[in-house]
Amino acid sequence: DTGVSQNPRHKITKRGQNVTFRCDPISEHNRLYWYRQTLGQGPEFLTYFQNEAQLEKSRLLSDRFSAERPKGSFSTLEIQRTEQGDSAMYLCASVFQSSTDTQYFGPGTRLTVL
Amino acid sequence: AQKITQTQPGMFVQEKEAVTLDCTYDTSDPSYGLFWYKQPSSGEMIFLIYQGSYDQQNATEGRYSLNFQKARKSANLVISASQLGDSAMYFCAMREGHTGNQFYFGTGTSLTVIP
């Protein structure tokens, strides 16, 4: 399978716990994006990487959120001290920089905070 | 102001008929890209079709076509010969700039294909 993969697919955690999600992009794609999607809404931009550099972060990304992309390959998104409002689908997308910059999405990680 | 507006929360279409899903956008950048994605109940966003702001022709990909009206800032998706498997959420999205950093998504339209 050469698409974008995300793990885990589902995560249930208790309020106050830390969680970490992983995204493996398509291998030749140099850009990687994280989004959050709540029920009935479109994806909302969180942050993006060009290779290993984190170039932009949304104001939605509070201090409890951190993302990394060591070596410009896979990326992790960590949420510390989770809150019930963090419950959402977290989507990762990768882009091969081109004239269209089409984003290709992974299956997402659904987080439920109890 | 919303960057992407999808005014149809839900649509129904008879199998084998065509359906149009509306999308309007807001940007002052002369260079932008417009995308449509399909999201089935499984959650994965599937890329369907792309239209660049400088493209002269409307984009087509199989049964999908994009009705691009630049002056009206609309980018409607037309699905021809609807199939039961087309039932899903559909999102319109925009990338601003030649290689813009952010994508903006609409709130989506839920399409149900009736047998």
Side-chain angles (χ1 to χ4, degrees), chain B residues 8-63:
Chain B
Q8 306 155 314
M11 291 281 286
F12 292 86
V13 64
Q14 204 75 38
E15 194 178 4
K16 300 180 185 176
E17 296 294 311
V19 63
T20 298
L21 306 184
D22 295 342
C23 172
T24 57
Y25 58 94
D26 181 28
T27 182
S28 57
D29 198 316
S31 177
Y32 52 89
L34 297 160
F35 303 79
W36 276 92
Y37 287 86
K38 172 185 178 181
Q39 189 177 42
S41 54
S42 59
E44 185 168 354
M45 300 280 284
I46 301 167
F47 166 68
L48 296 177
I49 195 166
Y50 166 82
Q51 179 86 42
S53 60
Y54 295 119
D55 293 344
Q56 297 295 314
Q57 307 268 4
N58 285 345
T60 59
E61 288 286 349
R63 294 186 300 111

Side-chain angles (χ1 to χ4, degrees), chain A residues 81-101:
Chain A
R81 305 181 303 281
T82 52
E83 301 173 356
Q84 287 185 326
D86 297 331
S87 295
M89 174 79 89
Y90 290 84
L91 294 165
C92 172
S94 73
V95 178
F96 177 71
Q97 197 163 348
S98 67
S99 59
T100 68
D101 274 4

Side-chain angles (χ1 to χ4, degrees), chain A residues 35-101:
Chain A
Y35 291 88
R36 182 173 69 188
Q37 186 180 23
T38 52
L39 203 60
Q41 300 296 317
E44 295 174 297
F45 169 79
L46 292 178
T47 188
Y48 97 98
F49 293 84
Q50 171 97 17
N51 299 312
E52 66 275 8
Q54 188 174 16
L55 296 187
E56 194 161 340
K57 293 193 291 186
S58 163
R59 275 168 282 180
L60 292 174
L61 214 64
S62 76
D63 291 345
R64 297 183 298 104
F65 288 71
S66 63
E68 294 183 341
R69 193 184 182 198
K71 303 177 184 178
S73 55
F74 70 92
S75 175
T76 58
L77 178 69
E78 182 183 14
I79 309 174
Q80 296 182 327
R81 305 181 303 281
T82 52
E83 301 173 356
Q84 287 185 326
D86 297 331
S87 295
M89 174 79 89
Y90 290 84
L91 294 165
C92 172
S94 73
V95 178
F96 177 71
Q97 197 163 348
S98 67
S99 59
T100 68
D101 274 4

